[in-house]
Structures are given as C-alpha cells and as structure tokens.
Amino acid sequence: AIKEDCPQCSITVTGGTEVGHSSHDPGTPIVDLRDDQNTANFLREHGSEYGVVNVLEESDHLHVQFQ
C-alpha cells in the first residue's frame, strides 16, 4: 500500500466523481488528493507500481489518474 511504502505521504482524497468536474465523471479512474509534495514526488517516482498513470499538480490539489 502507498501509505506503508511512503509513511511521510499525507494521502487525503478530496474529490472523485462528484458533479462539477469536467475531467472525471463517474467511472473515470481519476481522483483528487490534497496537495502534498511528498505524495506528488512519490507517485511520480513509484506510481506505476500502484496503477498511477498521471499526476498533475493543480493550484490546490493533486489530480491523480489510474489505469
């Protein structure tokens, strides 16, 4: 699990498939995570091991896309 492999990461899901997102509708494998530099760095470096295909830093959150 990411939290076990990156204890310094702060992982909090702040959004997902709720109404109002133009890029991730229900069924789309994208979630928003609270902005955390440790998490962003870890997912960029090791994300493919967890099915992450893209990490985008938005102004106030991380936009994480899974396979």
Side-chain angles (χ1 to χ4, degrees):
I2 294 172
K3 192 62 180 162
E4 292 173 1
D5 295 338
C6 183
Q8 70 274 19
C9 291
S10 176
I11 300 173
T12 304
V13 176
T14 61
T17 59
E18 70 277 6
V19 176
H21 288 277
S22 60
S23 60
H24 44 98
D25 296 321
T28 306
I30 299 174
V31 296
D32 293 337
L33 298 180
R34 180 171 291 142
D35 192 11
D36 175 70
Q37 199 59 53
N38 289 323
T39 303
N41 292 340
F42 182 83
L43 290 176
R44 281 196 187 89
E45 203 169 316
H46 304 284
S48 63
E49 300 169 32
Y50 304 94
V52 174
V53 295
N54 189 29
V55 178
L56 176 64
E57 287 189 65
E58 299 282 349
S59 62
D60 62 348
H61 66 278
L62 301 173
H63 196 73
V64 182
Q65 180 180 1
F66 293 87
Q67 294 175 335

